[in-house]
Amino acid sequence: MAPVTYLLQADMMTGAQIRAARGFLNWSVRDLGKKAKVHFNTVHAIERGKSHGKPETLAAIRKALEKAGVQFTNGKHPGVRLNGQR
């Protein structure tokens, strides 16, 4: 099971942020699914808003993206950036 911190943060991550993060990393849906140990169809469904995803699934996706250097920005304008970018 994912640590509680990841479960809480995963709730604040949107499908658009996941897509953007993959774009920064030049990852396919399959690449992210493999790294997060989640089926690529699940990733695709979450990105398209067809599924909200289980908290554990979202936490695994977030953890894989953050491990690769992605930072999620939230607040009034949710977004993503790579570590070291402004």
Side-chain angles (χ1 to χ4, degrees):
M1 181 170 203
V4 174
T5 304
Y6 272 107
L7 292 175
L8 294 174
Q9 292 173 340
D11 288 339
M12 300 187 307
M13 181 177 62
T14 67
Q17 285 176 300
I18 296 169
R19 264 192 324 276
R22 281 195 309 101
F24 277 133
L25 298 170
N26 198 28
W27 285 2
S28 69
V29 174
R30 288 180 188 266
D31 293 334
L32 176 54
K34 191 175 198 177
K35 293 184 185 298
K37 297 182 175 128
V38 173
H39 196 279
F40 71 92
N41 285 337
T42 302
V43 175
H44 186 70
I46 293 168
E47 287 185 354
R48 301 289 174 225
K50 296 186 185 259
S51 170
H52 296 293
K54 294 178 183 176
E56 295 84 6
T57 300
L58 295 172
I61 290 170
R62 184 180 187 110
K63 188 174 182 179
L65 292 168
E66 287 181 341
K67 185 176 179 180
V70 170
Q71 287 183 315
F72 290 88
T73 60
N74 291 308
K76 289 184 181 180
H77 306 286
V80 293
R81 64 181 176 203
L82 289 178
N83 283 333
Q85 288 188 342
R86 291 186 173 231

